[in-house]
Amino acid sequence: LERTGQECDSFGSRYNAYSGLCAHCTWALGWLGDFEKTKTLHEKGLRFAIDAKSVYGAGLVEVCYGFAMIFKGAGRDACRHLERSVKYFEEAQVRFAAGIAWGALGYGRYLLGELEAAQARRF
């Protein structure tokens, strides 16, 4: 996509394909513990999603980075990005993905020791 200059293309999907690939790579690299690369890919993917006006893509980038921060044990960063993800997914009306983000947000709150907030569906 970079070589052909198609980073902003959606190829008929609801999200920017390049941002989606960045999001999934962010998730995978988070599992591997490469948090420096996850940050770079998160920023790149989010920038392209916003440039392409892909609310769903922005939500996907944010949820994947939020999960990477959970893998890192960084509850505060995880919650910040997962809250953004929920807002993007709800704006895009992607309810199943918003549910995944809400669940992850609960885990982020758990990491912070905020057990009551982890059970509540609110920021």
Side-chain angles (χ1 to χ4, degrees):
L1 293 173
E2 288 176 353
R3 276 194 308 267
T4 60
Q6 292 179 291
E7 295 99 330
C8 289
D9 204 335
S10 67
F11 302 98
S13 68
R14 289 189 65 188
Y15 69 89
N16 170 260
Y18 188 78
S19 294
L21 292 171
C22 286
H24 292 292
C25 287
T26 296
W27 181 301
L29 288 169
W31 275 110
L32 295 172
D34 192 341
F35 302 112
E36 195 168 310
K37 283 185 186 171
T38 62
K39 182 175 180 168
T40 300
L41 282 170
H42 166 260
E43 291 168 353
K44 186 186 287 189
L46 188 59
R47 185 179 70 244
F48 279 102
I50 290 170
D51 288 350
K53 296 179 178 36
S54 175
V55 180
Y56 179 36
L60 183 60
V61 171
E62 290 286 23
V63 77
C64 287
Y65 191 66
F67 270 105
M69 292 299 94
I70 285 173
F71 305 152
K72 185 178 182 180
R76 188 139 338 270
D77 287 336
C79 289
R80 188 165 37 97
H81 292 282
L82 292 164
E83 287 170 359
R84 290 179 191 163
S85 177
V86 166
K87 288 178 182 179
Y88 283 129
F89 284 144
E90 288 183 348
E91 181 182 337
Q93 298 181 2
V94 185
R95 307 245 188 275
F96 75 92
I100 293 167
W102 274 114
L105 181 56
Y107 194 82
R109 295 281 184 225
Y110 168 78
L111 288 175
L112 294 172
E114 299 173 358
L115 303 183
E116 287 184 30
Q119 294 176 339
R121 189 174 180 242
R122 64 181 188 280
F123 296 163

